[in-house]
Amino acid sequence: MALVFGRDAVLEQAWGALVRSEPVLLTGPAGIGKSVLWRELLDRARQAGWLVLTCAPAESESSLALAALADLLRPLTAQVADLPGPQRAAADAALLTASVGDAVDERALAAATRSLFDAAAASNPRVVVAVDDAPWLDPASERALNYALRRINGWAILVSARSEAASRTPLDLDRLAVPLCRIEVGPLGAGALHHVLRDRLEVTFSRPLLSRIVRDCGGNPLLAMELARAVLRLPQLPSPAEDLPFPATMTSMLADRVSALRAACREAIRLAALLSVANLRDLQAAGVDLSDLDAAEDARLLSVTESTVHFSHPLYAAAVRAGMAAGLRRRLHRRLADVVADPDERARQLAQCATAPDAAVAAELEAAAGRQRRRGAPQIAAGLYGQAARLTPPDSPADQGRRRLAAARCLYDSGDYRAAATAADQVAEESSGDRLAEALLLRAEVAWSADEPLAVPAETGERALAAASAGSPLAGRIHAYLSMFHDSPERARRHAEAACKLLADTAPGDAELLSGSMLQLFYNEIRSGHSPRLELLDRALALEENRPSWLAGTIPAVWWRSIDEHDLARTRLHDMLDQATALGDEPWQHELLCHLGETELVAGRYDDAARTITAARELGEQLGTGLVGEAMLAGQVDVHRGDVERARKVAEAGLRRAEAVDDPWARRIHLGLAAFTALSDGRADDAAETYRALAAEADAAGLAEPLSQRFEPDWIEACAAVGDLATARRVLDRLVERHERLPRPWTTLGLARSRALLAAAEGGDTAEAVGRLEEARAAVPPHLLPLDRARCLLVAGVVQRRAKRRRLARSALEEAVAEFAAIGAAGFERRARAELARVGAGRTPSSRELTATEQRVAHLAARGQTNRAIADALFISSKTVEANLARVYHKLGIASRAELGAAMARRGETDR
């Protein structure tokens, strides 16, 4: 507080931004006074009743996993017990409030940080998160804070960073939803520095001498104080003609101050500067007498608390380290390594003093890496594994390979895919046998996660399999991954089958992989044309124990969706989404939201689908990535709602991308969207040709049963519209095969629609075909496939119109319009209205005449049936009942259900 001179304008600017909940970044050169401003702003926040969450990492602490995050979260320790299990374990590991069991997922730690921030906001309306010298954050702390800060709103954020270290905005503050207030802390003038020197050094210089000090230090308060101390050490104050005693660098100036101390004090502060955290216990164990620190404390180089030593400025510690000769520095590291209590600190000290390969040091570094990995700090662990590998003696190649591979795996876990790929490739080049197989498997995983062309993970995985010991658990693991990497259902099936055999008796830790392999086997058997083995699905689900496999966890939902068991699919996906949220796994959340969006789309719940797909898109934008299917699903919503042009653009862009990366799956789904868009736009010839291309892609991939695609009825509709009845018949045979192999509600309705259209086009018995349509609609509950059921009405209306049965056509089309309107399928509603307009030729029924459905609804309502009972009796939705009743009231000129019976009697309406 005493040093806040000449900063009133900066303080008010920063405080105003914090009050407006704008993030504030203080930048400037070292020693300019950023930390002083930072502390003053936090004092104001505390006085205003804000909750202050703060950390101030130092350079020496940047290798301490989660040290900064632990400082920042410590005031929220009481809320940890309320977190979901994975987040609670991660927070306990960060705060060291519980022993670490299984390895902590770094994503769970990020999610825990965000959850604790939410809890803090619930208890205090004003919270400030403050980080001093942000570039020294350890990687794990930085990643968790990046995640959490991007997902909170209305908070004050205060960060400081040196100008030279702030070329990349710390903590991605420039990516937040609110604008960043960036404040460059500039030099102080003579008046302010006069007060600084008088306050800190109790000295007042003449104005000419003060002006020279200001000039030579560039207005930097820390440099001004050091220069003033140098002047005061002179025998007499310099004359105007004499140069000030200003060394070439800050480091040399501080070295002069250190060299002026007695030997014991110099050694004590050197040892303190070499420790990550200079605690008194370790210093005393290294032979430091605490009185040796008195002179350094008197010189304001550092301060001594009950348990630790703190340098007054990070530059002081850096200068002390820089001033040590290499040999002296190694000897001091060795002395510290022999006495420090923390095993991770010992490993760091050993790494700094080792000059040649050393098996014991390498082993300790490996053990430290394992601890960091378990705490959820894979990036730090990767560096320690790398150091362990470099210090491994040449005669231990197996140990070296294992450590280098572990480093690569940690890089992958931290999300640094490029570095992980390079590291895995290097291990593969120098390895053979199972080590080569493991390195290639990791490289394949990286390729899959980094969205490289699909051929890369598949081909790399096959190379890994060839290198692995035949029949080993490692081979089983590789088979499991290959069942996911291969698009061909037959190849994927064979790999899944092999994985199930090899992993059947494996360790419990691979149970998740085994359940995933079973699901892949179940899924790809169906895709290959085999009958569903439901017992295999049941075994896999039982093996999960409510922990869905990342390898194939969505397969049960895909299966249930394909057989129109939408509630089961929806429940599965919501359960998995809750788990992914608890783990903080946002890429997984993104994928699950896309699956949920597709489920709602197939179920005809377009508003729910649109909301879910929008949530997926927003999350994808936060992640800086997106799933291929996300845009396609948005296009499907667009075309159902009638925005054909936007859907067409989505399909074209998706096909271009699929061609660029040779992604057959993306090509198939976008061909499906393009064909359906063309059909909805009245371009039946384009639709027929695009469906032909889609079928060719599916056949080339060996997809006898493409579970997620239902294109045959629409292909038949397109062929019938352009008169290609031969192709329509062949496609009908294809649809019959799918139905006979696996009867589903959608195939039941699709067959009825297709046969009715063909009967009309070929001059067959349309009355019988329409009767089958009605039977199909009655067989499928209204809530299950509302769009498909309404499309049956549309087809019935078209067929009846062509058969000159205009009254029946109008009745069917009016019902179709009502059902399309009830679910928000605006595109189909327009088509049905267009068909209604074509029915207008001939005798037009009275606008007061009730349709068949309106009559049935009215009679049941007049008898006192509820809307729900009427819906169940007529196999229509409650919304359709409401729409029909509204039209009945209008046509009969009544306002309530109580008048319905008398009005019907007056008109002489009878049941049909």
Side-chain angles (χ1 to χ4, degrees):
M1 179 110 179
L3 286 181
V4 185
F5 299 111
R7 303 294 193 194
D8 291 348
V10 171
L11 278 170
E12 293 310 316
Q13 180 186 2
W15 179 248
L18 292 175
V19 170
R20 295 189 301 272
S21 299
E22 295 175 4
V24 174
L25 173 62
L26 303 174
T27 64
I32 201 67
K34 300 181 299 298
S35 295
V36 173
L37 288 169
W38 183 83
R39 287 191 290 270
E40 171 64 17
L41 288 166
L42 295 186
D43 284 342
R44 286 196 185 188
R46 291 187 183 95
Q47 291 168 11
W50 295 15
L51 173 62
V52 176
L53 304 176
T54 179
C55 63
E59 179 182 3
S60 61
E61 297 172 349
S62 60
S63 62
L64 291 180
L66 307 174
L69 187 66
D71 287 344
L72 194 141
L73 295 181
R74 195 155 282 116
L76 307 176
T77 302
Q79 280 82 13
V80 170
D82 298 327
L83 296 177
Q87 294 183 26
R88 185 170 60 252
D92 282 335
L95 293 165
L96 298 177
T97 51
S99 59
V100 181
D102 295 335
V104 169
D105 191 319
E106 192 177 25
R107 295 166 298 189
L109 178 63
T113 303
R114 190 264 174 90
S115 296
L116 288 172
F117 281 2
D118 288 341
S123 64
N124 193 315
R126 294 310 306 256
V127 184
V128 58
V129 173
V131 181
D132 191 21
D133 233 343
W136 293 126
L137 283 167
D138 63 273
S141 294
E142 182 178 16
R143 289 163 67 86
L145 285 174
N146 276 343
Y147 174 94
L149 293 177
R150 288 201 305 271
R151 290 158 180 81
I152 57 175
N153 295 307
W155 278 33
I157 302 171
L158 176 62
V159 173
S160 77
R162 300 181 196 178
S163 300
E164 61 270 23
S167 55
R168 178 184 70 83
T169 305
L171 293 171
D172 291 337
L173 296 180
D174 50 355
R175 293 181 55 190
L176 302 183
V178 290
L180 171 64
C181 177
R182 184 187 290 265
I183 298 175
E184 180 72 22
V185 181
L188 290 177
L193 283 178
H194 162 73
H195 288 291
V196 169
L197 297 177
R198 188 177 63 181
D199 180 80
R200 290 299 304 271
L201 304 182
E202 299 180 351
V203 63
T204 299
F205 292 115
S206 67
R207 180 171 294 276
L209 181 55
L210 176 64
S211 297
R212 295 172 65 194
I213 291 175
V214 173
R215 180 199 64 198
D216 286 1
C217 75
N220 186 301
L222 184 65
L223 292 178
M225 287 189 291
E226 292 304 322
L227 183 53
R229 287 188 177 105
V231 168
L232 293 172
R233 287 196 296 270
L234 295 173
Q236 60 184 19
L237 294 179
S239 67
E242 292 178 302
D243 289 332
L244 298 184
F246 192 72
T249 65
M250 181 71 169
T251 299
S252 59
M253 177 182 290
L254 291 171
D256 289 344
R257 289 189 64 195
V258 172
S259 65
L261 300 172
R262 59 190 182 88
C265 184
R266 288 199 304 272
E267 186 166 279
I269 64 174
R270 284 166 176 166
L271 288 167
L274 292 178
L275 284 167
S276 300
V277 176
N279 66 75
L280 299 185
R281 182 267 168 212
D282 289 340
L283 289 172
Q284 288 177 302
V288 172
D289 188 322
L290 296 186
S291 63
D292 293 338
L293 295 168
D294 292 346
E297 191 169 22
D298 290 341
R300 298 198 176 183
L301 284 171
L302 50 78
S303 60
V304 181
T305 68
E306 290 183 359
S307 59
T308 57
V309 172
H310 296 281
F311 282 88
S312 302
H313 194 280
L315 281 180
Y316 292 169
V320 170
R321 288 190 292 270
M324 283 185 271
L328 171 62
R329 187 165 179 164
R330 283 195 298 272
R331 287 194 298 275
L332 293 180
H333 277 303
R334 180 73 250 187
R335 187 198 298 184
L336 289 170
D338 289 340
V339 298
V340 292
D342 181 70
D344 293 333
E345 181 68 18
R346 170 176 163 78
R348 281 188 287 271
Q349 297 294 334
L350 286 173
Q352 295 298 319
C353 64
T355 57
D358 186 310
V361 173
E364 291 206 44
L365 285 168
E366 182 179 22
R371 288 189 292 272
Q372 300 303 326
R373 189 176 187 177
R374 289 191 295 276
R375 285 194 70 200
Q379 201 164 351
I380 290 178
L384 290 168
Y385 277 124
Q387 286 180 304
R390 287 189 292 274
L391 291 174
T392 302
D395 59 357
S396 301
D399 291 339
Q400 186 178 65
R402 182 186 68 254
R403 289 159 181 165
R404 293 181 64 182
L405 187 60
R409 171 64 66 180
C410 287
L411 289 170
Y412 173 63
D413 290 342
S414 73
D416 192 345
Y417 294 149
R418 179 177 298 180
T422 299
D425 285 338
Q426 290 175 345
V427 175
E429 288 175 5
E430 301 170 2
S431 304
S432 60
D434 284 354
R435 182 78 67 224
L436 170 61
E438 291 183 64
L440 290 172
L441 176 58
L442 175 58
R443 182 64 183 88
E445 291 180 65
V446 173
W448 178 266
S449 299
D451 289 330
E452 296 185 39
L454 290 180
V456 175
E459 292 171 0
T460 308
E462 293 290 354
R463 289 172 55 204
L465 184 62
S469 301
S472 64
L474 173 59
R477 289 174 50 224
I478 298 171
H479 277 298
Y481 278 90
L482 284 169
S483 72
M484 177 176 65
F485 294 156
H486 279 295
D487 182 60
S488 163
E490 185 56 31
R491 296 186 72 177
R493 184 194 66 78
R494 290 198 299 268
H495 282 299
E497 190 171 47
C500 289
K501 291 178 180 177
L502 292 175
L503 296 174
D505 298 322
T506 193
D510 281 336
E512 187 179 10
L513 204 58
L514 176 57
S515 69
S517 301
M518 288 180 177
L519 290 174
Q520 288 285 359
L521 179 57
F522 169 77
Y523 177 61
N524 285 291
E525 282 184 346
I526 298 171
R527 295 173 78 220
S528 299
H530 299 279
S531 297
R533 286 204 285 162
L534 296 179
E535 71 279 5
L536 192 59
L537 174 63
D538 292 339
R539 285 169 54 203
L541 292 175
L543 191 61
E544 280 184 355
E545 296 182 345
N546 295 320
R547 294 182 61 184
S549 163
W550 56 267
L551 179 70
T554 57
I555 282 177
V558 172
W559 161 249
W560 288 322
R561 183 172 66 225
S562 75
I563 60 173
D564 296 317
E565 293 283 358
H566 303 137
D567 287 340
L568 286 175
R570 195 177 291 116
T571 299
R572 169 82 174 184
L573 293 169
H574 276 297
D575 288 346
M576 292 179 66
L577 187 59
D578 289 343
Q579 293 183 43
T581 302
L583 286 169
D585 190 338
E586 289 195 324
W588 196 16
Q589 293 175 49
H590 189 216
E591 180 181 354
L592 291 167
L593 285 170
C594 287
H595 277 287
L596 265 174
E598 185 173 3
T599 299
E600 304 297 13
L601 188 63
V602 172
R605 294 163 45 152
Y606 300 113
D607 289 343
D608 290 339
R611 281 193 294 270
T612 305
I613 294 165
T614 298
R617 175 172 291 171
E618 290 173 351
L619 184 54
E621 289 172 354
Q622 284 185 347
L623 295 171
T625 184
L627 292 177
V628 174
E630 174 193 301
M632 185 278 297
L633 292 172
Q636 288 281 7
V637 173
D638 289 337
V639 74
H640 283 89
R641 287 180 161 177
D643 194 342
V644 176
E645 181 59 22
R646 188 156 65 172
R648 181 185 62 78
K649 291 178 180 178
V650 170
E652 290 175 352
L655 284 170
R656 285 195 299 270
R657 182 191 181 282
E659 291 296 332
V661 299
D662 192 23
D663 186 339
W665 173 77
R667 192 158 46 238
R668 289 195 299 271
I669 64 173
H670 285 95
L671 280 171
L673 174 60
F676 186 60
T677 301
L679 182 64
S680 301
D681 198 27
R683 295 180 284 112
D685 51 348
D686 289 344
E689 188 58 35
T690 308
Y691 278 126
R692 190 192 313 276
L694 170 57
E697 288 277 343
D699 294 344
L703 276 171
E705 180 53 61
L707 287 173
S708 293
Q709 293 190 299
R710 312 174 169 199
F711 58 86
E712 286 87 357
D714 293 329
W715 189 4
I716 292 168
E717 182 179 332
C719 289
V722 299
D724 186 0
L725 301 184
T727 299
R729 275 289 169 191
R730 287 196 296 273
V731 179
L732 181 62
D733 291 341
R734 182 186 184 114
L735 180 57
V736 168
E737 287 180 10
R738 291 188 73 175
H739 180 71
E740 290 178 347
R741 182 168 55 242
L742 188 59
R744 287 154 282 180
W746 80 263
T747 58
T748 298
L749 295 174
L751 279 171
R753 276 170 44 211
S754 301
R755 284 170 172 154
L757 285 171
L758 282 175
E762 296 172 341
D765 187 348
T766 56
E768 180 183 356
V770 171
R772 289 181 177 175
L773 271 173
E774 293 179 353
E775 291 175 3
R777 269 177 55 86
V780 176
H783 70 278
L784 200 57
L785 291 170
L787 178 69
D788 291 47
R789 295 181 81 257
R791 290 186 70 181
C792 286
L793 287 173
L794 175 57
V795 169
V798 171
V799 171
Q800 298 285 30
R801 176 183 61 77
R802 292 176 181 172
K804 309 299 184 183
R805 296 188 284 268
R806 290 189 177 89
R807 186 175 182 281
L808 293 174
R810 176 173 288 280
S811 176
L813 291 169
E814 285 180 342
E815 289 189 62
V817 168
E819 293 192 13
F820 287 137
I823 62 174
F828 281 101
E829 182 184 351
R830 284 203 293 268
R831 289 175 60 186
R833 290 189 183 280
E835 288 294 336
L836 263 177
R838 298 178 70 179
V839 175
R843 183 178 67 84
T844 303
S846 166
S847 62
R848 298 286 181 177
E849 184 178 345
L850 299 184
T851 67
T853 299
E854 288 168 352
Q855 286 181 338
R856 289 193 289 269
V857 169
H859 279 290
L860 291 173
R863 294 173 183 170
Q865 296 285 333
T866 64
N867 287 7
R868 180 70 265 172
I870 296 171
D872 292 341
L874 299 182
F875 292 100
I876 58 178
S877 69
S878 296
K879 287 186 178 180
T880 303
V881 172
E882 293 171 6
N884 276 276
L885 278 175
R887 289 194 297 273
V888 168
Y889 293 166
H890 175 73
K891 291 178 179 181
L892 298 184
I894 62 177
S896 68
R897 187 177 295 221
E899 305 172 70
L900 191 55
M904 294 286 288
R906 287 195 302 271
R907 289 171 58 95
E909 297 284 355
T910 59
D911 288 333
R912 291 192 175 188

